[in-house]
Amino acid sequence: MRILVVGAGVIGSVYAASLLEAGHTVTVCARGRRLAELRTGGLVLQDAATGRWTTEKVDAVATPDGVACDLVIVAVRRDQMVSAARQLAAMEADAMFFGNAAGLTQSLAVAMGHPTMFGFPAAAGVLKDATVRFVPIRAQKTMVADSDGRRSARLRRIAETFDSAGFATTISTDPEGWLTAHAAFVVPIQLALRRVDVQPRRLAADRALLTTMVRATRQAFRALLSAGNAEIPRNLRALYLLMPERFALWYWRKTLSGPRGELWFAAHTRAAPEELASLAKALRAAIGASARTAPDLEALLTS
């Protein structure tokens, strides 16, 4: 498959490199210093879990104009998604917005002028000195979805493409619901991290704040379920809604104390404060439309 990846941060770089390694034709659209890095040294990545280094030569362009492709993966910040949609609307290729677009799925489809696709990655990390240091998130599958909720042939083909690159993939029939459920999981973690200067080890050691964080997601999940959201992943339902609270506290204490606390959550929390505020607003609206409340989430939002 011919793929254009718009955005060469952590996610765009990880997926572009894996798709290249799997034999697909990949072009990356980037700007400024990052564009120069890609043209000079290619995609340079280190898997923090295994220590494996990967370097992939890649075609890098400054604009998507004239790039022949079958799929555009739009791996840009949340606040850049609508402007990217307007820029890409005239392209004939399928486009997938690859990040948390909760609250934006309808406006993005309108901006594109036709049904589009949404996805969410299963990796996280940091970009520093032209190198992406990342970790795959094994407990989470790469999500793909059509804006119209269908399991179309094109969507299944794209899921197979991600599978071919080593990313276990799941198809959602409700992208807005899936992305909102993910926001209910990640927003409390990021808000709690902000309370301790984005130091994950400090959060792990603060039992009271950690408890508020876990309860915020439990309450948010219950509110979303009451409103008919069926897209909360099974592993997160088990962790937050089926198992005792003490298990979730143990899990997050362990996770935030290790390198995953930095690579999964802290690095992105520092780099994207505007995205956190926008996601929190979308999550608040979704909970407000339900029959339940999330007082611990409100405590994190207002304190």
Side-chain angles (χ1 to χ4, degrees), residues 239-301:
L239 180 64
Y240 284 97
L241 301 179
L242 300 180
M243 296 180 180
E245 183 181 276
R246 64 179 181 275
F247 185 84
L249 291 172
W250 169 84
Y251 174 82
W252 286 117
R253 192 178 301 113
K254 180 180 179 182
T255 299
L256 292 167
S257 295
R260 289 177 296 178
E262 176 64 30
L263 293 172
W264 282 7
F265 302 109
H268 189 68
T269 300
R270 290 190 203 96
E274 298 86 359
E275 179 174 277
L276 171 58
S278 179
L279 266 184
K281 183 178 179 180
L283 176 59
R284 213 174 196 174
I287 292 172
S290 77
R292 301 183 69 118
T293 61
D296 284 279
L297 176 62
E298 288 301 317
L300 288 173
L301 283 165

Side-chain angles (χ1 to χ4, degrees), residues 159-170:
E160 290 167 0
T161 299
F162 284 130
D163 282 331
S164 75
F167 298 105
T169 306
T170 184

